[in-house]
Structure formats: C-alpha cells, structure tokens
Amino acid sequence: MSLLDVSNLDAGYGDLQVLSDVDLTVDRGEYVAIVGPNGAGKSTAMKSVFGIADRQGGSITFDGTDITAHSPERVIHEGLSYVPQTENVFPSLTVDENLRLGGYILDDVPESRREAIFERFPVLADRGEQVAGTLSGGQQQMLAMGCALMLDPDLVLLDEPSAGLAPDLVDEMFDRIDDINEMGTAVLIVEQNAKEALRRCDRGYVLANGENRYEGGGDELLNDEEVRRQFLGG
Amino acid sequence: MGLAQNVIFGLVTGSYIAIAAIGFTLIYGIVNMINFAYGEYLTMGAFIGILTVGVLPLPLPLAAVVAMVGGGLISLLLARLFFTPINQTGPVPMLLTSIGLGLVLRNGIRLTAGQSARYFDTEAITFRFDGLPPLSVGSVDLLGGFFVTSEQLIVMGCAVGVFLLVHTLLTRTDVGIAMRAMGDNENLARVRGIDTQRIRDSVWVLAGVLAALAGVLLGIQTNVSAGTGFSQILQILSAAILGGAGSPYGAIAGSYVIGLVLALSTAFLPAGMTGISSAIAFLILIGVLLVKPSGLAGQEVREA
C-alpha cells in the first residue's frame, strides 16, 4: 500500500475547480515530482493534500488514514509536513523560534534532531537569534525546510523549492533534497524546473489543465518524445 | 509646576494607556480587528474591582486580581458570543460589531451602576522633592521641584511588571511565540499545527486581563464612571497605531509618547489653548503616519 494515496481528486478554491480526477501515489521513501506548465494545478494538488485548498471530490489517504476532510492543523499530526512556495517562514520570529514552531505539536523535540538539521543546514546554527525576515531568500528556504524536518516526517511536501533562488543555489537545494530523501524521508516535490526535478526523482507526474497527463519513472519521462516536445521545451 | 512634575504626570498616564494598548494591539495583530468596545473592558474591570472592595470586602491588591480574572473571562465570553462567529467576515464587520457592542455595554453599565463617579478609597503617601531649583524661561519652568504619590508609583510599577511578564510570555512560551507567529501568517501557523482558535482565545483572555488592570489603575489614580473607558479608547488606539499596529513593543512606546504629549501640552500651552492638548496627540499621530506609515516599531500597518 502506498504511503500517500490520492485518488479521483477534484479540488480548487471555493466555487473554482482547478483539479479534476487527479490520481497520485507516493510510496514509503520514494522521491516523486509533479511537473507541468503554469496553472496546471501542481501547487493546488499539494495544497489539497494538506487541507489548504478545498477538496471537492475523491479521496486522500495517508499511511492508511483517510485525511480527505482533515484541516491543516490535523494533517500535520499524521506524519507529513509541507513547505509552501512563498511566505514559508515567520518573518518577525527568530530562526530559533521558527524552528521551535516547526516542532510545535511535539512535547519535546530530541536534541539530536536539531543537531541533524543544523548539520544539514549549517547557516541555521550560526543565525539562531537572527530575525527570519532579514535572511536571504536561499537562507529562508533552508529554514523552511529545517522547520518541516523538525517532526522527522515520513513524507515532506515541497512546493517549488528552487523558485526565486540564484542559479548556483538551485543545485545546492536539489542536493539537500537528495540528502533528505536518502535519510529515508519520502519527498513529493512540485517544480517549475522540470528537467532537474525529473532527473533527480524516482517517479514523476505531468499535470496539465488540472488533469493527469503522463506518469512514469523520472528518466522515462525525460526521454519521452511527447513529454519533451509538449512540456520540456524540446 | 515645572517640567519634572509634568513628566511624572505623563509617565503615569502613559503607563495605564500602555497596559491597555498592549491588549488592544495584540487583538489587532492576531484576531485582525479593531475592537472599539475595548474601552468598556477597562470600565468593567474597574467596576469589578470597586465592587469586590466594597461588597466582599477584599483588600485592594486581591480585588485587582479578581478584576483581572473577571476581565479575562468576560473578554473571552464576549469574543465567543460576538466576534468568533464572524471571524471570517473581515475587519470591517467586526469593527462595526464592536462599536455596537461598546454602545450596549456602556449604557448597560450606566443603567446598573448609575451615573456617578466611583473611586477606590486609598490612602496616598506623597513623596516631595522640592530640592530642584526652578529653571524659568519666560513664564515656563523647565525644571522645578516635584512630587510623586504612592498611587502614581503603583501605576508605573504595575506597568513595568506587565511589560516584563508580557515580554516573557511572547518570547519564552509556546503560546506566546504562537501568538506572534499568527500575527505574521495565520495560514502558516495552521500548517505548523497551531490551533489558531485556541491562540485567539488566549489573546482575548490576555487582552481582557490587561484592560481590567488598566481600569483598576485608572480608578486608583482618578475615578471611574460608565464613560471612563470610552474616554480612553482614542488614546489607546492612537498609541497602538503610533507604535505600529500589532506590535506590543511599539504600543508601549506609543503610549508614553501620547502620555507625555498630553501632560506637557496641557501644562505649557498658553492658557487659552489648553483645550486642544488632546488634539495635539492626534496631530503627532498624523505626523508620524505621514513620515513613517509603519509606525515607530516599523511593522507594516495592514488593511483594517
């Protein structure tokens, strides 16, 4: 059974329907990418898993639990965490306070977990007292990922982690995501940078106009003539 | 009276405005509404205190605690009845509701407690410092001897105590950090698993406790009647906006600016112009907002 199982999902915002009949699975420890053109509903798919977009039909189960009707503050208890594309840290809080809220639902975060996060993102250890709003874009992205890892989730949802980063940081960001996945955490990523995401992931989905279009191994999609022509710019 | 004396008056006024303004600005930042009924929360707190002293009777410090607990509970109850149900409708309907609620509360208090002013029967000790020489420039004395009463010291001491406690709450506890986080970004707070309704309830209780304390202190320092709180709401609102709405630290700074300006303009304006001293606080407010719209603390004043 899959860790995350989205089936026949209709979703959107209020009366607006963005997704229709979307299927999506992520296995334990798997690295899955969702790619597709702007407005394809990639982020909406991720937001509806976390209860931020409105689910209008279909079902979402995580680790055997039906989370279709869960609010965000309940979803987080199931063992998955979410890094939004923008505004993913609290700007007026310090780095330490942001990390503390990353583990808000736990009574106690093991010190070893904080250490592991600092080891992966050393910049966070050096800037504990700094107000998050004054960090650079790349540092904020690192902090947002650090916060999501405070729960040691089974699955982490990353919404366009490379968006707005300087080109030399994009590679580093993808390396960090590889690290997280190698430690056993399943990753579901939405990316504008489709080629790089497909190169790195185990499996990918191509979404267009709110519907499943293609699905397959990352390399398989990268080398597919149709996918290349329609979605990867040749 | 010289400058030193008026600075004392200003600090005392600033102190109780600050205690109230912290609660007001937290509601603004976290519940995202301007609570125009907030002045009545001060009045209710003061009357609970006066009732406790007069009827039970309890000593004043205990009565203040009773007033604060009562104020917190009433604030939570009113929020649950009138504000929580319309939380999603946005700031304007909530503001209008609070104006209506304030009107009802004010007249309700007037009907039950009557029109007359009440006060706490305290024995003030006055400390005089007459050693300072006057430093006259024309008719204005820029220094001069001053006095401070035990009541004024209690007001200022309570304010400092409140600042330290609120600072500790906001920076050292999960609830406090969650409050600030909600002020930043409520959606992200939910993604972190923060029960936003519980945090909002905590803010209502805290704001009610602070308003009640400010009301009791106002009663100790002067007197209270049904309209007392309402007469303070514009000062509280100005202090909060001056400091950068939503920022408790800014509200503290804004309160002392307002308190000092009120006291000094009353004292030093020519006799015929003292009537405009309260307007001067607002002129400063307008001035600050023209130059620095984000207020003293620099946080963006959001749409309300």
Side-chain angles (χ1 to χ4, degrees):
Chain A
M1 195 180 57
S2 304
L3 182 62
L4 175 70
D5 192 340
V6 174
S7 67
N8 306 112
L9 179 71
D10 297 337
Y13 308 91
D15 290 336
L16 175 73
Q17 186 179 350
V18 177
L19 300 181
S20 60
D21 215 18
V22 166
D23 294 312
L24 184 68
T25 64
V26 181
D27 286 335
R28 207 165 269 284
E30 201 180 18
Y31 184 169
V32 176
I34 306 175
V35 301
N38 272 332
K42 307 187 295 292
S43 292
T44 304
M46 198 161 264
K47 285 178 182 161
S48 39
V49 170
F50 226 83
I52 296 162
D54 301 319
R55 299 89 156 201
Q56 297 158 336
S59 74
I60 306 169
T61 50
F62 184 80
D63 204 9
T65 307
D66 185 349
I67 60 167
T68 315
H70 275 30
S71 59
E73 54 268 44
R74 276 188 74 195
V75 173
I76 187 105
H77 287 271
E78 302 294 340
L80 64 169
S81 50
Y82 165 56
V83 181
Q85 179 185 348
T86 56
E87 295 178 11
N88 48 24
V89 299
F90 298 107
S92 78
L93 270 53
T94 64
V95 169
D96 276 345
E97 287 170 337
N98 267 284
L99 287 170
R100 181 169 171 174
L101 289 185
Y104 180 79
I105 62 168
L106 303 179
D107 290 332
D108 205 17
V109 177
E111 192 51 36
S112 60
R113 196 173 297 165
R114 286 176 63 90
E115 296 295 325
I117 289 169
F118 286 148
E119 209 167 289
R120 195 162 294 151
F121 306 113
V123 64
L124 302 183
D126 302 338
R127 294 175 183 263
E129 293 297 313
Q130 191 175 334
V131 173
T134 62
L135 296 173
S136 72
Q139 290 165 346
Q140 288 191 21
Q141 197 64 40
M142 305 277 177
L143 175 58
M145 287 173 62
C147 290
L149 295 177
M150 286 294 277
L151 299 176
D152 192 19
D154 295 322
L155 169 67
V156 56
L157 311 177
L158 303 173
D159 194 350
E160 307 239 10
S162 79
L165 293 187
D168 52 322
L169 283 177
V170 171
D171 254 359
E172 194 189 333
M173 181 60 62
F174 275 108
D175 287 346
R176 293 286 85 78
I177 297 167
D178 286 349
D179 293 345
I180 292 166
N181 183 237
E182 273 158 26
M183 300 293 287
T185 307
V187 174
L188 178 63
I189 184 176
V190 159
E191 255 301 329
Q192 199 63 243
N193 192 343
K195 283 182 184 168
E196 189 62 29
L198 290 176
R199 213 169 284 139
R200 304 248 185 179
C201 71
D202 297 321
R203 217 153 47 76
Y205 290 88
V206 180
L207 241 58
N209 291 325
E211 292 173 7
N212 283 94
R213 196 58 65 85
Y214 296 96
E215 178 192 340
D219 293 333
E220 192 185 326
L221 290 175
L222 261 181
N223 296 321
D224 186 293
E225 271 307 307
E226 282 299 299
V227 173
R228 290 182 74 93
R229 194 174 55 76
Q230 287 186 63
F231 300 107
L232 302 177
Chain B
M1 277 189 302
L3 179 69
Q5 185 62 66
N6 284 295
V7 167
I8 301 260
F9 288 152
L11 290 177
V12 171
T13 307
S15 291
Y16 59 73
I17 294 178
I19 293 172
I22 292 170
F24 181 87
T25 209
L26 285 174
I27 294 174
Y28 179 84
I30 296 159
V31 185
N32 198 18
M33 74 171 283
I34 290 173
N35 184 4
F36 223 77
Y38 192 69
E40 275 58 52
Y41 293 28
L42 273 73
T43 316
M44 288 189 290
F47 273 104
I48 293 174
I50 285 171
L51 217 60
T52 314
V53 169
V55 178
L56 281 180
L58 282 181
L60 183 54
L62 278 180
V65 172
V66 172
M68 287 160 73
V69 172
L73 291 176
I74 291 174
S75 171
L76 179 62
L77 181 72
L78 291 174
R80 278 299 175 97
L81 285 175
F82 299 105
F83 300 130
T84 307
I86 58 166
N87 232 328
Q88 304 308 324
T89 60
V92 173
M94 293 181 84
L95 169 65
L96 296 177
T97 305
S98 76
I99 293 174
L101 176 63
L103 200 69
V104 171
L105 289 176
R106 197 154 58 248
N107 288 297
I109 296 167
R110 191 165 286 142
L111 278 176
T112 49
Q115 196 67 271
S116 58
R118 317 288 178 100
Y119 52 89
F120 290 95
D121 210 359
T122 53
E123 296 222 351
I125 306 163
T126 304
F127 306 95
R128 294 196 166 278
F129 300 87
D130 292 329
L132 289 171
L135 180 65
S136 295
V137 177
S139 63
V140 179
D141 178 2
L142 288 181
L143 197 61
F146 63 94
F147 68 89
V148 57
T149 67
S150 53
E151 291 165 344
Q152 292 170 329
L153 289 175
I154 287 172
V155 173
M156 290 187 280
C158 280
V160 172
V162 163
F163 303 158
L164 292 176
L165 282 175
V166 168
H167 175 71
T168 306
L169 173 80
L170 291 176
T171 56
R172 297 277 174 272
T173 68
D174 271 2
V175 172
I177 296 173
M179 284 179 186
R180 287 163 54 217
M182 266 183 77
D184 271 4
N185 184 342
E186 186 168 336
N187 278 331
L188 186 61
R190 295 182 69 198
V191 164
R192 294 275 180 267
I194 293 169
D195 181 344
T196 49
Q197 188 52 50
R198 216 192 94 225
I199 300 297
R200 246 183 247 120
D201 286 348
S202 315
V203 171
W204 281 115
V205 171
L206 176 61
V209 167
L210 293 174
L213 175 61
V216 169
L217 293 176
L218 209 57
I220 291 174
Q221 170 64 20
T222 57
N223 57 48
V224 281
S225 62
T228 296
F230 188 64
S231 68
Q232 301 295 323
I233 188 66
L234 283 179
Q235 268 96 303
I236 294 169
L237 178 93
S238 313
I241 295 175
L242 191 57
S247 159
Y249 305 103
I252 294 171
S255 298
Y256 283 105
V257 171
I258 300 260
L260 287 170
V261 167
L262 280 175
L264 296 181
S265 58
T266 307
F268 295 119
L269 280 176
M273 289 175 65
T274 48
I276 68 162
S277 66
S278 55
I280 288 195
F282 300 109
L283 285 179
I284 290 193
L285 177 65
I286 292 167
V288 167
L289 290 182
L290 283 174
V291 178
K292 194 166 185 294
S294 53
L296 297 176
Q299 202 175 333
E300 201 62 35
V301 177
R302 284 159 297 176
E303 84 288 356

